[in-house]
Amino acid sequence: LFDKGWNRGWDAKYGGLYFALSPQEEVIDRDKNYWVMAEAISAASLLGVKTRDSGYWKAYDALFSYCQEHFIDHTYGGWYQLLNQQNERYSSKKSPAPKADYHPVAACYQTLIALNYR
């Protein structure tokens, strides 16, 4: 599932994963959503640890670098919610209460747990 999502959903031009693919594996929503990136970071790290396949760590690095550049607010903290395909924010809105960056924090936490069990 991860490989198919990565191969069909990674935006080779602008980076990041598209929000949605159809059952026929066609991109149906080109926006980039913060929680999709966070969950993919977590999945890539867990797969990297379990399979020892360096390709998952390359995906992890690509996702984390992408988020570092486009989603994370380095001045005030938090992750912006939604970007268009060209990585422009629709608004300055961040994770709404009560989520408060649940997905990014959980993704980092899952990665730390996975690395401790290698």
Side-chain angles (χ1 to χ4, degrees), residues 44-52 56-57 111 114-115 117-118:
S45 68
L46 292 169
L47 287 164
V49 167
K50 286 288 189 184
T51 66
R52 300 183 189 270
Y56 293 117
W57 287 112
T111 299
L115 289 171
Y117 287 107
R118 286 200 290 180

Side-chain angles (χ1 to χ4, degrees), residues 11-25:
D11 183 344
K13 184 171 182 179
Y14 296 105
L17 289 168
Y18 298 122
F19 182 68
L21 300 173
S22 73
Q24 294 76 33
E25 301 176 15

